Amino acid sequence: MPKRILQGVVTSAANEQTVTVSVERRFKHPVLQKTIRKSKKYRAHDEQNTYKAGDKVRIIECAPKSKTKRWEVHGTW
């Protein structure tokens, strides 16, 4: 099974080796046909603490690193 890759913006880099990434998705409402924006936050592993708040990054699915981290930063876009 392939690993999922998502793109988002780093919202927090306060913790050691961890960044919080906000990923936004857009879709049409099934009845109203209006475009809706929904966002979700993911905790991602950042080994060298290279990313700061505001950076656009890609995250890739990985084996669990901690209780909340199941993603790691794959690079910028």
Side-chain angles (χ1 to χ4, degrees):
M1 189 164 135
K3 296 181 179 183
R4 291 183 291 169
I5 298 174
L6 301 175
Q7 321 185 48
V9 178
V10 175
T11 56
S12 171
N15 298 321
E16 196 69 23
Q17 294 187 345
T18 304
V19 291
T20 303
V21 180
S22 179
V23 176
E24 183 183 284
R25 66 186 188 97
R26 294 177 183 214
F27 62 94
K28 280 200 178 233
H29 188 279
V31 176
L32 303 177
Q33 298 301 311
K34 179 181 177 179
T35 302
I36 299 173
R37 297 177 359 174
K38 283 206 175 196
S39 62
K40 185 174 177 181
K41 289 183 179 178
Y42 295 93
R43 311 260 291 160
H45 185 67
D46 176 17
E47 187 73 38
Q48 276 82 34
N49 294 317
T50 52
Y51 300 100
K52 304 294 177 219
D55 292 347
K56 294 180 178 182
V57 295
R58 283 195 173 135
I59 55 175
I60 189 167
E61 209 171 20
C62 68
K65 303 264 184 198
S66 71
K67 180 181 174 183
T68 57
K69 287 196 289 187
R70 269 87 176 128
W71 297 83
E72 56 190 21
V73 178
H74 192 57
T76 60
W77 56 279

